[in-house]
Amino acid sequence: MEWGIGQIRDQVTVGLGFTVNNTFAPGADGTISGTYDYYYNQYINSAVIDYNKWNQVHREGSGTAETKVRREDINAQITVSFHYSPVSRLDIYTKFGVGVGVMNYLYGKTRNEKGFTAKTVDKTVGTGSHYIYSFNDLDHARWDKMKSKVVPAVSAYVGATYYLSDRWGVEAQVGLLSANIKDEDKGYPNSYSVFSVGASYKF
C-alpha cells in the first residue's frame, strides 16, 4: 500500500507506503538433539518383610531424532518509491524499504528417535518383592530447536504496472523485494525474495 505525496516535474511521483512480506521454504529433513531430566515413581512391595514404599527415581540423559525443518519469515517495512509514467497506462517505479522482520523455523513430528527409553514394569522378583513403575523419556524431552529471531529487513527493487482499466493493473517486480538480514554464523541465514508478479488496484 502506498500514497503519492509529491511530484518531481510532470511525470515523476514520489510515494510513501508500507509492505508486509511473507516467505516460506518447503523444508528438508534434519536431525535435532534433545535432553530429558525428570523423576518417576517406583512402587516396591515385599511380602517377606512386610515392606512397601513409593520411591522417586531420577532419569537424565540426551538423544537425537529426525524431523522435517521448514523456514518461514515475515517482515513489515516502510517504503519510499519513485514512479515514472511514460505513457498513460504504464507505471515504472523503483522502491526502497526498511523495517523489521521475524525469522522462524518450523519443525515437524520427530521420528527415528535414538537415546530415549520407555519401560512399564509390574512384576514380582525373587522371594516376593513386587515392583511397579512406568517411564517414558520422550514424554519429557526438550528439543534443541532454533527460536524465532527479530532482525532488520530491507528492500530495493524496480517494477512496472500496466493498468488494464482505471483501477486494475498487472505488475512485475525484480530486485531485492524482501530480505531479512542475520549473521549466518549464528545459524540463521539471510532470506531473500527477488521476483514477483501480481495484480495492482488503484483507489
Side-chain angles (χ1 to χ4, degrees):
M1 178 77 75
E2 67 175 349
W3 296 264
I5 60 172
Q7 281 194 302
I8 302 175
R9 298 181 180 178
D10 293 334
Q11 293 179 314
V12 178
T13 301
V14 180
L16 179 66
F18 68 90
T19 62
V20 177
N21 305 286
N22 180 235
T23 58
F24 181 79
D29 292 329
T31 301
I32 57 174
S33 59
T35 60
Y36 55 90
D37 186 354
Y38 68 99
Y39 290 85
Y40 70 92
N41 292 319
Q42 181 187 70
Y43 176 73
I44 305 173
N45 175 268
S46 176
V48 176
I49 60 174
D50 192 23
Y51 169 85
N52 63 83
K53 185 179 181 180
W54 284 100
N55 294 322
Q56 279 200 326
V57 182
H58 182 224
R59 284 190 61 80
E60 182 179 4
S62 62
T64 61
E66 296 177 9
T67 187
K68 180 78 74 174
V69 183
R70 298 174 175 84
R71 174 75 174 269
E72 183 176 20
D73 289 7
I74 189 170
N75 66 53
Q77 301 181 43
I78 296 173
T79 61
V80 175
S81 59
F82 299 90
H83 295 256
Y84 173 65
S85 300
V87 296
S88 59
R89 289 187 178 271
L90 180 62
D91 177 24
I92 301 172
Y93 55 89
T94 183
K95 188 174 292 188
F96 306 92
V98 63
V100 63
V102 179
M103 290 179 166
N104 297 290
Y105 280 92
L106 308 177
Y107 295 84
K109 293 183 178 180
T110 59
R111 61 186 186 277
N112 297 329
E113 297 88 355
K114 297 179 181 179
F116 302 93
T117 303
K119 184 180 290 187
T120 297
V121 172
D122 186 350
K123 66 179 182 179
T124 301
V125 179
T127 58
S129 295
H130 191 191
Y131 291 84
I132 301 174
Y133 61 88
S134 178
F135 65 84
N136 188 341
D137 297 339
L138 281 174
D139 289 342
H140 304 272
R142 295 185 177 182
W143 300 106
D144 185 18
K145 297 179 179 180
M146 300 181 77
K147 298 180 180 180
S148 299
K149 292 289 184 181
V150 178
V151 297
V154 296
S155 59
Y157 56 93
V158 296
T161 303
Y162 185 80
Y163 285 93
L164 304 174
S165 66
D166 291 340
R167 300 291 185 184
W168 287 100
V170 293
E171 67 177 11
Q173 301 168 339
V174 64
L176 192 62
L177 274 65
S178 170
N180 282 1
I181 308 300
K182 187 66 177 180
D183 186 355
E184 292 190 20
D185 293 337
K186 297 181 180 180
Y188 292 80
N190 301 330
S191 63
Y192 304 102
S193 296
V194 297
F195 178 73
S196 74
V197 293
S200 179
Y201 182 78
K202 183 187 296 185
F203 291 95

